[in-house]
Amino acid sequence: MATIKLDKAAWQTYFDRISKLVVGKQTEIEVASLSLGDQIEAEWVPLLGITYDPKNDLLEVLLEGLDHLIRHPRDIYVDQGPAGLTSMEVIDADDVQQIIRLRDPVMLPYSPPP
């Protein structure tokens, strides 16, 4: 896997492109800071999309049942493997670290009805 830091000028284009490829992936969001400690905000919930709005300087991670907003992201690192995006680390203006992990949904074997 290769972790790269995204240039802020490329955030909107990157997330517009990648969002379509990661829809439906299971997603975990971990938030860590000195004041909060380490907390899991979402645990393996289906991802509906990721967007960056440069006008409001807002990264939105839309999950089933949760709209996770990161205001004023300062740095974004993405980890990409052979299967595409596997995780992201976002550090906001308050030095809060937010780690978004992605994985494919577990496929259960098909059993035909009796």
Side-chain angles (χ1 to χ4, degrees), residues 10-80:
W11 290 357
Q12 183 177 14
T13 304
Y14 177 82
F15 289 113
D16 286 350
R17 181 176 50 84
I18 202 78
S19 186
K20 296 172 183 81
L21 302 173
V22 296
V23 167
K25 293 219 181 236
Q26 296 293 306
T27 307
E28 178 181 72
I29 299 177
E30 178 181 349
V31 180
S33 74
L34 292 175
S35 62
L36 293 173
D38 226 4
Q39 298 181 11
I40 301 294
E41 182 167 336
E43 193 167 359
W44 305 118
V45 179
L47 178 67
L48 302 176
I50 304 173
T51 61
Y52 175 70
D53 175 8
K55 182 179 177 185
N56 294 312
D57 195 20
L58 180 73
L59 182 69
E60 178 180 20
V61 181
L62 184 59
L63 305 174
E64 192 172 280
L66 175 68
D67 193 7
H68 182 75
L69 303 174
I70 304 171
R71 289 173 173 72
H72 310 294
R74 190 182 67 219
D75 296 308
I76 298 178
Y77 299 88
V78 294
D79 195 2
Q80 297 185 186

Side-chain angles (χ1 to χ4, degrees), residues 1-15:
M1 292 188 222
T3 301
I4 58 169
K5 180 178 180 181
L6 296 179
D7 182 52
K8 189 167 187 164
W11 290 357
Q12 183 177 14
T13 304
Y14 177 82
F15 289 113

